[in-house]
Amino acid sequence: MMPRVLTMNITDLNRECLLHLFSFLDKDSRKCLSQTCHKLQDVFQEPCLWTFLHFSSPSELRKKNYILGPALKSLSICWYSSRVKICNIEDWVKTTLQKSMCRPHLNTVSDFLQEVCRRCPNLQTLTLSGCAHIGDENLIQVLKHCPHLQSLKLENCSGVTDRTLAKVLLLSRRLQTLHVNFCRNITQKGLSLMQQGCPGIILQADRSADMIADRTPDDIISLQRTSRKIILR
């Protein structure tokens, strides 16, 4: 008589083992596994699994394969697509085609950050790269609602200006690291005020103050008139 073989289903594992298993999976795999039964769905929603979130494009924010909650400590949205170049073009310069390419994700990141402000008060690290459609107001809300923020790293975010730097001085007592690399609307004046007001913060601004800031058509006309006056004199 052959010995009886014992079989075991994944749902026979205790919660601690299931949490350990889920910790090795990416967001998509966790979501797929959670859809197989109520027990695994419950494990998927465990806050301790969602202390870190990384997204590589705005479209990933719509997948609903993650949980936002008080356990979130680190958030990263880094988009390196060629479309980032189009997003960073000044709105008044964009063609109809370029505007249509931006429209589907125009408010995606800013809406997501609003949810972060509402659900994730313990956020400590925020990294945004290539998020051209976020502005000062989005970041100011994060600074207000995430008082434990220690690191804010921005790269190629053309909507960010010196206004964000000014609010950092007022709102972020725990901020230790601030990067505003390739953010063309950050000025040298804003950086100098930041360094004077918060000398202890590790400030990095590669190329930001050296880049050409956005100009509206009215600004360009005014600049041309000034140049003509200088030449006439």
Side-chain angles (χ1 to χ4, degrees), residues 51-176:
T51 59
F52 171 81
L53 281 174
H54 172 74
F55 301 94
S56 58
S57 74
S59 61
E60 285 192 9
L61 302 176
R62 303 191 190 99
K63 284 188 174 182
K64 304 300 181 184
N65 58 354
Y66 56 87
I67 299 294
L68 282 181
L72 184 65
K73 300 292 178 63
S74 181
L75 171 63
S76 173
I77 306 173
C78 297
W79 194 27
Y80 299 111
S81 167
S82 58
R83 290 196 177 189
V84 172
K85 295 179 181 179
I86 296 173
C87 295
N88 273 286
I89 298 172
E90 295 92 329
D91 286 337
W92 59 272
V93 176
K94 286 177 183 171
T95 65
T96 302
L97 175 61
Q98 290 169 335
K99 288 180 180 179
S100 68
M101 293 174 69
C102 289
R103 195 171 297 118
H105 58 266
L106 189 64
N107 299 313
T108 303
V109 178
S110 56
D111 290 346
F112 180 79
L113 288 179
Q114 286 184 8
E115 289 299 305
V116 170
C117 291
R118 191 167 67 87
R119 302 184 189 184
C120 311
N122 299 312
L123 188 68
Q124 296 178 5
T125 300
L126 175 61
T127 301
L128 302 174
S129 180
C131 300
H133 297 303
I134 65 160
D136 294 319
E137 192 55 43
N138 304 125
L139 294 173
I140 290 169
Q141 290 302 313
V142 171
L143 294 172
K144 285 181 178 179
H145 293 91
C146 302
H148 302 287
L149 196 67
Q150 298 176 16
S151 175
L152 176 59
K153 296 182 179 181
L154 308 174
E155 180 183 271
N156 204 11
C157 297
S158 58
V160 179
T161 73
D162 290 350
R163 185 167 171 241
T164 292
L165 300 183
K167 289 298 182 179
V168 167
L169 295 173
L170 296 174
L171 300 173
S172 295
R173 298 180 179 178
R174 298 193 180 187
L175 198 68
Q176 300 172 7

Side-chain angles (χ1 to χ4, degrees), residues 44-55:
F44 174 80
Q45 295 176 346
E46 174 61 44
C48 72
L49 286 173
W50 306 102
T51 59
F52 171 81
L53 281 174
H54 172 74
F55 301 94

